[in-house]
């Protein structure tokens, strides 16, 4: 029996709630069960004045049906890390293991994450920690959640197949879209998460340069679900950020057509649209984007 992995990543809208559901802890293994591992990754955070985004993850659970109601299917807990992770350390396909467990095989369609806002925070570039606030209009993080341990539900775009050999599941957490900033020291949490298997996903890689050939550092990359034209963009799929040398990776994408756009935040300019075809288990080269 091999490890079944679960990666936590970036990018889809999900509901924030504090409802309780019946949970099933790790069961006694049988020959058809697979061991599930949980990892964490992150999209680029767009604010230059932020040095850390620490999210305290209490637990991760899976369900076979996409039903989060009280009458929904039982949840299988696959990880209970009960610690904080700096999401800004997890970019361009980097992941960190949250935990693993043996779970029954099946096509899983729901993923939930329980967090602890009181032990989560944002740290600015000067080292000042920004924590929870429940007072409207005051600086801090408005988690928009009742209860001490709110539950986040990731979007599962297609059922995640788990067999007796296990699987790695990625939860993609888009920090840049999840924390809305008002410019006055207040962040509002609107979580964007999606889940996908590592084997069922592909990546887009490339390089961004200025017209003179010099690299564009820390460019923001956006992947849209592809349309048959470059003049109209499809629905947003995921975001990422290039490194200091202009190299970028947009990881954990479903197979399909995508439109890629790069943005230089310093010069406030965007590249043209590049169309690419992503295949599961592969990294497609988008080439150089010069603008």
């Amino acid at each position: 029996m091999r490890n079944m992995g679960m990666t936590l990543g970036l990018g889809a809208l999900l509901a924030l709630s504090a409802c309780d559901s019946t949970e099933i802890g790790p069961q006694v293994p049988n020959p058809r069960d697979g061991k599930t591992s949980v990892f964490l990754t992150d999209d680029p955070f767009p604010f230059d004045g932020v040095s850390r985004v620490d999210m305290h993850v209490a637990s991760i659970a899976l369900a076979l049906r996409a039903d989060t109601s009280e009458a929904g299917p039982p949840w299988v807990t696959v990880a209970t890390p009960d610690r904080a992770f700096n999401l800004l350390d997890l970019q361009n396909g980097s992941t960190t293991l949250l935990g693993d467990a043996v779970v029954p095989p099946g096509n899983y369609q729901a993923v939930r994450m329980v967090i602890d806002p009181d032990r989560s925070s944002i740290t600015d570039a000067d080292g000042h920690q920004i924590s929870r606030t429940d007072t409207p209009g005051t600086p801090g993080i408005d988690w928009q959640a009742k209860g001490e341990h709110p539950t986040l539900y990731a979007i599962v775009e297609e059922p995640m197949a788990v067999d007796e050999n296990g699987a790695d599941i990625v939860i993609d957490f888009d920090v840049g879209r999840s924390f809305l900033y008002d410019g006055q020291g207040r962040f509002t949490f609107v979580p964007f998460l999606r889940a996908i298997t590592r084997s069922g996903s592909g990546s887009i890689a490339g390089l961004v340069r200025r017209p003179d050939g010099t690299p564009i550092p820390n460019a923001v990359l956006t992947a849209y679900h592809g349309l048959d034209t470059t003049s109209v963009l499809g629905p947003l799929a995921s975001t990422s950020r290039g490194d200091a040398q202009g190299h970028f990776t947009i990881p954990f994408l479903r197979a399909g057509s995508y439109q890629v756009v790069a943005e230089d935040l310093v010069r406030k300019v965007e590249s043209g649209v590049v169309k690419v075809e992503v295949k599961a288990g592969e990294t497609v080269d988008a080439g150089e984007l010069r603008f």
Side-chain angles (χ1 to χ4, degrees), residues 47 124 130 133 136-141 180-188:
F47 310 130
D124 66 22
I130 302 166
T133 180
T138 60
I141 305 172
L180 307 181
Y181 186 52
D182 70 352
Q184 303 296 321
R186 184 179 180 84
F187 294 87
T188 301

Side-chain angles (χ1 to χ4, degrees), residues 2-264:
R2 291 175 14 211
N3 281 352
M4 173 212 263
M6 180 171 182
T7 306
L8 189 60
L10 314 174
L13 177 64
L14 73 136
L16 175 64
S17 73
C19 69
D20 293 324
S21 299
T22 302
E23 291 193 6
I24 300 177
Q27 305 296 297
V28 176
N30 69 57
R32 297 183 66 247
D33 289 345
K35 188 176 181 181
T36 300
S37 303
V38 183
F39 298 80
L40 180 70
T41 188
D42 178 38
D43 257 357
F45 193 61
F47 310 130
D48 293 337
V50 171
S51 63
R52 296 181 63 91
V53 178
D54 290 293
M55 179 69 69
H56 192 103
V57 180
S59 65
I60 303 288
L62 307 177
L64 287 170
R65 289 193 291 114
D67 182 355
T68 59
S69 68
E70 292 291 338
W75 290 89
V76 181
T77 299
V78 294
T80 54
D82 196 26
R83 67 184 182 93
F85 300 87
N86 179 17
L87 299 179
L88 297 188
D89 287 341
L90 306 170
Q91 301 179 24
N92 287 307
S94 297
T95 64
T96 187
L97 179 65
L98 296 179
D100 55 32
V102 173
V103 304
N107 293 318
Y108 287 86
Q109 300 184 58
V111 177
R112 76 179 186 188
M113 176 195 302
V114 178
I115 64 171
D116 187 343
D118 290 330
R119 290 190 284 177
S120 302
S121 64
I122 294 174
T123 304
D124 66 22
D126 296 325
H128 301 124
Q129 192 175 83
I130 302 166
S131 57
R132 180 175 187 167
T133 180
D134 295 319
T135 304
T138 60
I141 305 172
D142 178 5
W143 292 96
Q144 298 198 104
K146 297 179 180 179
E148 296 181 356
H149 298 92
T151 300
L152 313 180
Y153 294 101
I155 283 183
V156 180
E157 298 173 307
E158 59 185 19
M160 299 177 295
V162 173
D163 59 21
E164 64 275 9
N165 295 317
D168 283 355
I169 298 175
V170 178
I171 304 174
D172 192 21
F173 200 126
D174 192 332
V175 172
R177 290 190 292 162
S178 295
F179 291 90
L180 307 181
Y181 186 52
D182 70 352
Q184 303 296 321
R186 184 179 180 84
F187 294 87
T188 301
F189 186 55
V190 184
F192 282 78
L193 283 72
R194 62 186 176 91
I196 190 171
T197 60
R198 190 191 296 271
S199 62
S201 68
S203 302
I204 301 171
L207 180 65
V208 287
R209 295 183 184 271
R210 297 187 177 95
D212 63 3
T214 60
I216 299 174
N218 303 316
V220 173
L221 284 301
T222 306
Y224 300 88
H225 291 288
L227 300 177
D228 292 333
T229 175
T230 58
S231 60
V232 178
L233 295 174
L236 193 152
S238 186
T239 64
S240 189
R241 183 174 61 187
D243 61 19
Q245 289 74 45
H247 298 280
F248 70 86
T249 300
I250 307 175
F252 309 124
L253 298 170
R254 293 173 59 193
S257 299
Y258 292 89
Q259 300 161 302
V260 178
V261 177
E263 182 179 4
D264 184 346

